[in-house]
Amino acid sequence: MSFTESLLLPFNKPAYLLLLLLLPFLWIFSYRSLSGLGGLRRWLALSLRSLVLILIVLALAETQFLRRNDRITVIYLLDQSESIPQAQREAMIEYVKEAVAEHRDAARGDRAALIAFGREANIEIPPIEADLPIAGQLETVFDLRKDATNLAAAMKLAQATFPEDSSRRIVIVTDGNENVGDAQSMARNLAQDGVGVDIIPIELGDRPEVAIERVTLPQDIRKGQAFSARVVVNNIAQAGGTESSPVKGKLRLSRRVGRDSQTLAEQDVELQPNKNVFSFEDRIERPDFYEYEAVFVPDSGEDDLISQNNRATSYTHVLGQGHVLVIEDSDNPGNFDYLVGRLREMNIQVTVQNSSELFTSLAELQRYDSVILANVPRSSGDETGVSGFSDAQIDMLVANTQEMGCGLVMLGGPQSFGAGGWTNTKLEEAMPVDFQIDNAKVAPVGALAMVMHASEMAQGNFWQKKIGEEALKALGPQDYCGVIHWTGKEDWLWGGQNGLVKVGQNRATMVARLSRMTPGDMPDFDPSLRLAAAAFTRIQNEAAVKHMIVISDGDPSPASNGVLSTFSQLGVKVTTVAVGTHGPAGHQELQRIATQTGGKYYVVRDPKALPRIYQREARKVARPLVKETTVMPVVTSRHEILQGIEGSPPEISGFVLTTVKQNPLVEVLMISPDPVDEKNATLLATWTYGLGRSVALTTDAGSRWANAWTGWSGYDKLFSQIVRWSMRPTGDVGNYTIATQTENDKVRVIVTALDQNDEFLNSLNMSGAVVGPGMDSEAIGMRQVAPGRYEGEFDSSKSGSYFVSITPGAGKSPIRAGVTVPYSSEYRDRETNRALLEQLASLTPAGGVTGQIIEPLTMNTMDNALAVNSFRRDLAISISANDIWPFLVLGAACLFFADVFVRRVQVNFDWVVPLWQKLFAKQEESDQKDERLERLRNQKKQVAGVLDERRAAARFEPAPDAQVDVAVLDSPDTKSTARSTTDKSKSNISPTEAEEETYTSRLLKAKKKARKDKGDS
């Protein structure tokens, strides 16, 4: 710990503390400048100024307050990969629940968390100050890919999840069979960060297992030649070296070419312990690319617990004449039948595939030497169903050309190039022309508005954002685009009140905003439609094609006829997409909007279909790229594609506008003389793209625009030479054989090179490339290791198919091979990797002690595992830092005002004494008043006592000669006291009457008598 970290108040930027050296200068200059304030005020002002400076310096130094915490956070990492048996997974969950409940100290605020991991890691429960609420199976397991064990990912996620105000420990429950990532490197980072690591090993135990290791094919299979395919099946020995028992089952070998699959053999087998080799005879009569697959099915599931490793695949390629795949639009089948027939007449093997039944893997494309996209859009279909190319299929097409050397030809038509929705895709990168047009004079401007309504369909909102991105890709830089969504009111996602904004340089910003958007549940159709209508009105004279797409569940209030008629007047067609609609009413309203405006109506039940709908509808805005006018093609370059063709082709009636790529490899062979900008006039262009070649013909092959070509004498030569120029080299590629070997997540490629006399070819400049399961390509460095023998290798940690293309040298045809890694090493590991687990636990965290290897976990050993307290206090105490510089700035501001007050306001204390005296004088006067009131109260009590005594005495009759005197006393504190004497003897009142008289009546009589006597006198 550094010096500043050990302080109670450390500083992030201690260099600013040097400013405290200014204090003496502050005192020197301020002492003189404040001399007029007098002694007391001068010292007070200097003190305040000094405090202000000190507080500002401490704030600049970013002073913090350190707090030590005795709590600990433990995160449990549970291995949920396929190599862990189900019984052990259940034991893991039970252990975590009991360990947290038994050892977590709630009084100290201990926290616990849970992370599940396989190929990646997910947080099941974040750090909480409570027992972990686990009920049954873990929820995040359903989102995990369990075909690999990535300890490093789980440890990294745990490090990022830890709170800062506690000590930290992770408890890893795993078999240690890491096959992705680097756990040791990650563990070292955790140790440096003070994180402790405990390990609970999972013992895999004895379990039967069978795995097909590989299918082996000969290196040089020829057409019509018999050969043997060998299948290696391993009846794996059990953990600890115990010999396995024989396993009975069926072994099946099948051969697949394209989409046609044929079972070659199926036989009952009994697998002896260790490796078993089976041989199958076969003969190939037709050149093509073949896939061989072996599958083993045990008679009893108890003899083989993991089925993922019961399958293996191998590939072979038998060379022959060129084979071409023609992909046509499923909405317009047969438009290119004339071209297909002419190619077949010229001995080119052609397979036709429509866009609704596309290839599904790169392996399917290996049988073809060139692929022709014949006026096919990226998406096609109608209201009943939409089909098209996925991003993965586009990646396959491009990789097949760039890395595997296959040709790629794109033929024009109203559904092709930019007009077909191919803009901003990887396919555009592979073509010699760009599909966007920057020149608004050449390509009229389009406008597209989209209304996004919250979807109740699973992942519907996610796919809405994806389709918005796809629609943006289909638009050119001159086109307008806008998105309306609900945020408490209908609003544009960008552009403010303008709404529709030119794509131009804003495409990236638009995509970013779309990705952050959350569609809201708008209550009414009319406000959003009015917003869009107003925006379309503003650009009425600029946009040639205007289109709108509304995606909704039909729940908002119906649109008025008035606003729908406005769209019709503006020429805007509104396409509606119903997702998760609320009954027939929702369908009817969306269908009404589409019908009244001339748009399309779609019903979607699978959210993955949404992107294709938007791609299809966005093409309507890009339709101005189609230029339908009669032009005479002009040949601009003599190329081998045009060899033997005299003059120029006949006139055409249309083509798709494109822009020539600015690349020296691009050759433009034919243009249209009509457009002003020559860059957009391309009719035929070619270039070399990676190992393959691609061709762009922006007009069609005679189905619509080039009808005059079908009777032209040069038709066969032009199209056959386009196809042959683009194709992979065919025929005999020389005496080269290629083989692959898979071992330890590596594939070794072995090439044997011989000349025509079977002599070794040495010192070849051989190179290669491989395309993996994720369509990512990797170069293969080939080196000569023996006479005529060349080797290279590449990583194969991911399961799936790998396709290899090796170029023997400049000007020589590439040779190809395929290899399949059928399953991850997750399904090959049989024993716990204790060596790795011990290394992880042996690292000492900073400020703490080494972790522990806890008892291997099963239901039977649960108590032993629980004996170790994962919440033990043997790690570095957590010190959390809190910034206090904002409070220092506030204090400095307050003291600054106090300093100004002392200097600007003159204050003396002459008023203190008079104020004191006045306060005490008031107090004395108040005391005197209190004493006078007290005397009056006492006198009142005395008079009341006298009166009470006399009342009591009046109850008895007095003697005949007795006198009753009533005295009237005057005093400063009383008004009067009357005294009178009455002669009782003169009275005629009897004793009985006297008793009946009250005290008041007697007093009144006495008073009257006294007044009378006074008057007589």
Side-chain angles (χ1 to χ4, degrees):
M1 181 179 292
S2 66
F3 172 73
T4 55
E5 290 175 336
S6 64
L7 294 176
L8 182 62
L9 294 174
F11 310 100
N12 274 348
K13 299 177 180 179
Y16 280 102
L17 296 177
L18 294 174
L19 294 175
L20 293 176
L21 297 176
L22 298 175
L23 274 174
F25 299 96
L26 176 69
W27 279 72
I28 292 173
F29 291 106
S30 298
Y31 188 81
R32 294 181 179 179
S33 63
L34 299 177
S35 59
L37 297 180
L40 179 60
R41 289 174 62 199
R42 176 195 290 183
W43 287 106
L44 183 58
L46 283 173
S47 300
L48 290 173
R49 284 190 179 185
S50 300
L51 287 174
V52 169
L53 177 61
I54 291 171
L55 292 178
I56 290 176
V57 171
L58 293 177
L60 290 173
E62 296 185 8
T63 307
Q64 295 180 324
F65 175 74
L66 294 183
R67 181 168 54 190
R68 297 177 179 271
N69 301 287
D70 191 31
R71 66 173 56 175
I72 185 171
T73 299
V74 178
I75 299 182
Y76 295 87
L77 311 184
L78 304 188
D79 187 349
Q80 299 295 299
S81 62
E82 292 286 2
S83 63
I84 306 295
Q86 184 61 34
Q88 266 82 352
R89 295 187 200 177
E90 295 173 358
M92 289 180 188
I93 298 174
E94 192 64 27
Y95 161 75
V96 171
K97 289 168 60 177
E98 295 188 18
V100 174
E102 181 175 340
H103 298 301
R104 190 184 67 87
D105 191 340
R108 295 185 178 182
D110 289 348
R111 301 187 185 99
L114 178 59
I115 291 177
F117 68 95
R119 182 176 288 274
E120 61 277 334
N122 287 335
I123 298 176
E124 176 76 17
I125 302 175
I128 58 174
E129 293 184 24
D131 294 343
L132 296 182
I134 308 174
Q137 191 172 7
L138 303 180
E139 294 181 4
T140 58
V141 169
F142 297 103
D143 299 326
L144 285 177
R145 292 176 58 193
K146 295 177 280 188
D147 61 340
T149 301
N150 192 345
L151 275 170
M155 296 163 74
K156 184 175 182 179
L157 181 60
Q159 186 180 28
T161 305
F162 276 118
E164 296 183 356
D165 59 347
S166 67
S167 302
R168 295 165 291 171
R169 172 177 286 114
I170 62 175
V171 179
I172 307 176
V173 189
T174 179
D175 60 4
N177 289 315
E178 176 190 39
N179 39 51
V180 178
D182 185 356
Q184 293 188 51
S185 176
M186 193 66 224
R188 286 191 290 269
N189 293 338
L190 290 173
Q192 294 173 2
D193 201 25
V195 179
V197 178
D198 281 358
I199 301 292
I200 301 182
I202 295 293
E203 296 291 350
L204 297 181
D206 294 339
R207 53 178 179 173
E209 189 57 47
V210 174
I212 298 182
E213 292 191 348
R214 62 183 177 272
V215 177
T216 303
L217 299 172
Q219 300 179 8
D220 53 349
I221 298 176
R222 302 290 180 180
K223 174 183 174 182
Q225 175 185 351
F227 64 91
S228 295
R230 290 181 173 84
V231 181
V232 180
V233 188
N234 194 356
N235 184 0
I236 304 173
Q238 298 179 2
T242 304
E243 189 175 273
S244 57
S245 302
V247 176
K248 294 182 178 181
K250 291 185 181 297
L251 182 62
R252 182 175 63 250
L253 180 69
S254 60
R255 184 181 69 188
R256 180 176 178 177
V257 53
R259 295 188 175 181
D260 299 328
S261 182
Q262 176 185 3
T263 299
L264 300 178
E266 184 173 353
Q267 63 186 49
D268 294 325
V269 296
E270 182 175 354
L271 304 178
Q272 299 303 317
N274 299 318
K275 295 185 179 182
N276 299 258
V277 180
F278 300 92
S279 181
F280 299 89
E281 298 298 321
D282 192 25
R283 184 191 304 269
I284 294 177
E285 300 294 345
R286 187 180 67 179
D288 217 320
F289 194 88
Y290 292 89
E291 176 183 354
Y292 284 79
E293 182 181 57
V295 179
F296 174 75
V297 180
D299 291 344
S300 172
E302 296 180 356
D303 293 336
D304 185 20
L305 298 181
I306 299 178
S307 61
Q308 288 87 345
N309 54 12
N310 289 6
R311 185 184 306 268
T313 306
S314 185
Y315 300 94
T316 188
H317 183 212
V318 178
L319 298 175
Q321 292 182 334
H323 192 175
V324 176
L325 172 65
V326 174
I327 301 177
E328 63 178 5
D329 185 8
S330 58
D331 291 346
N332 302 284
N335 278 1
F336 288 83
D337 284 352
Y338 182 79
L339 173 63
V340 171
R342 298 314 303 162
L343 292 177
R344 287 172 176 167
E345 285 291 327
M346 290 175 281
N347 296 320
I348 298 177
Q349 186 179 351
V350 181
T351 296
V352 179
Q353 192 176 91
N354 68 57
S355 57
S356 63
E357 299 176 351
L358 293 170
F359 53 90
T360 58
S361 68
L362 186 59
E364 290 185 41
L365 292 175
Q366 297 312 302
R367 60 187 304 220
Y368 306 112
D369 299 300
S370 186
V371 177
I372 300 176
L373 300 177
N375 187 30
V376 58
R378 184 178 178 186
S379 59
S380 56
D382 53 22
E383 294 87 339
T384 59
V386 180
S387 61
F389 291 78
S390 67
D391 289 341
Q393 288 169 323
I394 294 175
D395 291 344
M396 293 175 199
L397 274 176
V398 174
N400 193 38
T401 298
Q402 185 177 21
E403 305 297 341
M404 306 306 297
C406 182
L408 183 60
V409 179
M410 198 167 195
L411 301 182
Q415 314 295 334
S416 189
F417 295 98
W422 294 102
T423 305
N424 291 313
T425 64
K426 285 192 175 181
L427 185 73
E428 183 180 17
E429 298 176 8
M431 300 307 294
V433 293
D434 290 328
F435 302 161
Q436 295 181 358
I437 304 299
D438 295 331
N439 191 344
K441 295 181 180 179
V442 177
V445 174
L448 175 66
M450 296 178 280
V451 176
M452 301 287 192
H453 181 203
S455 172
E456 297 178 6
M457 179 183 293
Q459 291 189 315
N461 291 339
F462 165 78
W463 283 104
Q464 283 192 61
K465 294 188 284 188
K466 297 299 291 182
I467 60 184
E469 296 178 13
E470 295 298 331
L472 270 171
K473 291 179 181 179
L475 301 179
Q478 301 296 329
D479 294 331
Y480 287 87
C481 185
V483 174
I484 298 174
H485 66 140
W486 171 261
T487 59
K489 65 175 184 177
E490 291 78 2
D491 200 3
W492 291 100
L493 187 59
W494 54 69
Q497 294 300 317
N498 293 327
L500 292 171
V501 177
K502 272 194 176 183
V503 175
Q505 302 298 322
N506 301 313
R507 195 185 305 271
T509 302
M510 292 176 172
V511 171
R513 291 195 179 182
L514 270 171
S515 65
R516 297 192 299 267
M517 180 196 68
T518 301
D521 192 4
M522 60 181 62
D524 194 351
F525 276 122
D526 262 10
S528 59
L529 295 180
R530 288 196 183 97
L531 269 181
F536 280 121
T537 301
R538 282 192 293 270
I539 61 169
Q540 174 71 9
N541 297 326
E542 297 181 52
V545 178
K546 298 174 284 293
H547 195 66
M548 184 169 176
I549 309 174
V550 177
I551 180 169
S552 174
D553 58 4
D555 190 36
S557 300
S560 63
N561 291 324
V563 72
L564 295 181
S565 63
T566 301
F567 282 100
S568 299
Q569 295 168 7
L570 291 171
V572 180
K573 295 182 178 181
V574 181
T575 291
T576 58
V577 184
V579 286
T581 53
H582 297 281
H587 285 277
Q588 293 171 4
E589 176 57 22
L590 291 170
Q591 192 167 18
R592 183 179 74 90
I593 294 174
T595 302
Q596 290 194 11
T597 59
K600 297 288 186 181
Y601 168 66
Y602 298 89
V603 179
V604 175
R605 294 177 177 83
D606 182 2
K608 294 182 180 180
L610 290 172
R612 292 174 181 171
I613 292 176
Y614 269 58
Q615 292 161 6
R616 186 177 188 276
E617 292 301 313
R619 291 206 326 264
K620 297 177 180 179
V621 177
R623 193 60 60 81
L625 293 171
V626 173
K627 187 173 182 63
E628 294 193 290
T629 183
T630 301
V631 296
M632 183 65 70
V634 176
V635 175
T636 58
S637 174
R638 303 313 300 180
H639 189 275
E640 58 184 289
I641 287 178
L642 301 175
Q643 189 174 4
I645 299 176
E646 300 295 335
S648 297
E651 65 182 17
I652 59 175
S653 60
F655 63 99
V656 184
L657 294 172
T658 57
T659 302
V660 179
K661 276 188 170 69
Q662 299 301 310
N663 191 301
L665 296 177
V666 175
E667 294 184 78
V668 178
L669 313 184
M670 198 182 302
I671 65 171
S672 164
D674 184 57
V676 178
D677 191 347
E678 188 175 316
K679 291 191 302 182
N680 308 127
T682 304
L683 292 180
L684 179 62
T686 66
W687 77 332
T688 299
Y689 183 66
L691 297 178
R693 295 171 172 179
S694 66
V695 180
L697 178 65
T698 60
T699 190
D700 58 23
S703 59
R704 177 172 177 174
W705 294 334
N707 286 332
W709 285 17
T710 57
W712 172 44
S713 60
Y715 184 93
D716 289 354
K717 276 194 174 183
L718 175 64
F719 284 99
S720 64
Q721 289 174 179
I722 286 176
V723 171
R724 293 190 188 280
W725 181 85
S726 68
M727 290 170 61
R728 268 188 285 241
T730 59
D732 189 0
V733 295
N735 292 333
Y736 297 100
T737 59
I738 183 170
T740 58
Q741 294 179 358
T742 304
E743 187 176 358
N744 296 329
D745 291 338
K746 295 285 185 181
V747 172
R748 187 167 60 193
V749 181
I750 305 165
V751 177
T752 303
L754 303 174
D755 61 15
Q756 298 298 327
N757 299 320
D758 290 337
E759 298 289 337
F760 293 121
L761 291 174
N762 298 315
S763 304
L764 295 179
N765 186 19
M766 193 172 290
S767 61
V770 59
V771 179
M775 292 300 106
D776 48 333
S777 61
E778 177 186 349
I780 304 176
M782 301 296 295
R783 64 188 186 282
Q784 186 171 3
V785 296
R789 183 184 176 93
Y790 301 82
E791 290 186 3
E793 69 176 16
F794 58 88
D795 178 75
S796 61
S797 57
K798 296 180 181 178
S799 59
S801 298
Y802 294 81
F803 296 94
V804 179
S805 178
I806 303 296
T807 303
K812 298 190 178 186
S813 302
I815 51 179
R816 289 176 291 151
V819 60
T820 296
V821 178
Y823 46 83
S824 166
S825 59
E826 187 72 22
Y827 307 112
R828 295 194 294 267
D829 297 323
R830 301 285 299 150
E831 297 183 2
T832 303
N833 189 350
R834 293 193 67 92
L836 173 63
L837 299 181
E838 290 172 359
Q839 290 177 2
L840 299 181
S842 65
L843 297 174
T844 303
V849 300
T850 304
Q852 295 188 25
I853 297 284
I854 304 175
E855 182 81 13
L857 183 62
T858 63
M859 285 295 187
N860 298 328
T861 61
M862 184 75 67
D863 293 339
N864 295 333
L866 290 172
V868 178
N869 183 6
S870 299
F871 290 86
R872 61 189 183 276
R873 264 69 182 174
D874 57 2
L875 296 174
I877 298 295
S878 171
I879 300 177
S880 59
N882 300 305
D883 291 330
I884 62 171
W885 63 265
F887 301 101
L888 297 177
V889 172
L890 178 62
C894 296
L895 292 177
F896 175 76
F897 283 112
D899 173 44
V900 173
F901 180 83
V902 169
R903 290 186 289 106
R904 297 298 182 184
V905 180
Q906 183 174 2
V907 180
N908 59 59
F909 300 96
D910 296 340
W911 47 270
V912 174
V913 175
L915 178 61
W916 181 272
Q917 293 174 347
K918 186 175 181 180
L919 290 174
F920 275 94
K922 289 183 178 181
Q923 183 64 34
E924 291 174 359
E925 183 178 351
S926 176
D927 293 343
Q928 291 176 359
K929 289 181 180 180
D930 292 341
E931 291 175 2
R932 188 160 51 249
L933 288 173
E934 187 64 27
R935 288 198 303 272
L936 289 173
R937 291 190 187 100
N938 292 334
Q939 291 178 4
K940 183 177 178 182
K941 289 180 180 179
Q942 293 174 1
V943 172
V946 172
L947 292 176
D948 290 340
E949 291 175 359
R950 289 182 178 181
R951 288 193 197 100
R955 295 177 183 272
F956 303 96
E957 183 179 359
D961 56 350
Q963 296 182 348
V964 179
D965 297 332
V966 179
V968 179
L969 303 176
D970 295 326
S971 72
D973 299 324
T974 62
K975 296 181 179 179
S976 65
T977 302
R979 183 178 181 216
S980 139
T981 303
T982 306
D983 190 352
K984 196 68 178 178
S985 61
K986 296 180 180 180
S987 173
N988 296 321
I989 301 174
S990 66
T992 304
E993 292 173 342
E995 290 178 358
E996 293 176 354
E997 288 181 332
T998 65
Y999 170 75
T1000 304
S1001 63
R1002 292 196 304 272
L1003 184 60
L1004 289 174
K1005 288 180 181 180
K1007 191 173 181 179
K1008 290 179 180 179
K1009 181 73 168 60
R1011 289 177 176 172
K1012 183 177 179 181
D1013 293 344
K1014 187 177 179 180
D1016 294 342
S1017 61

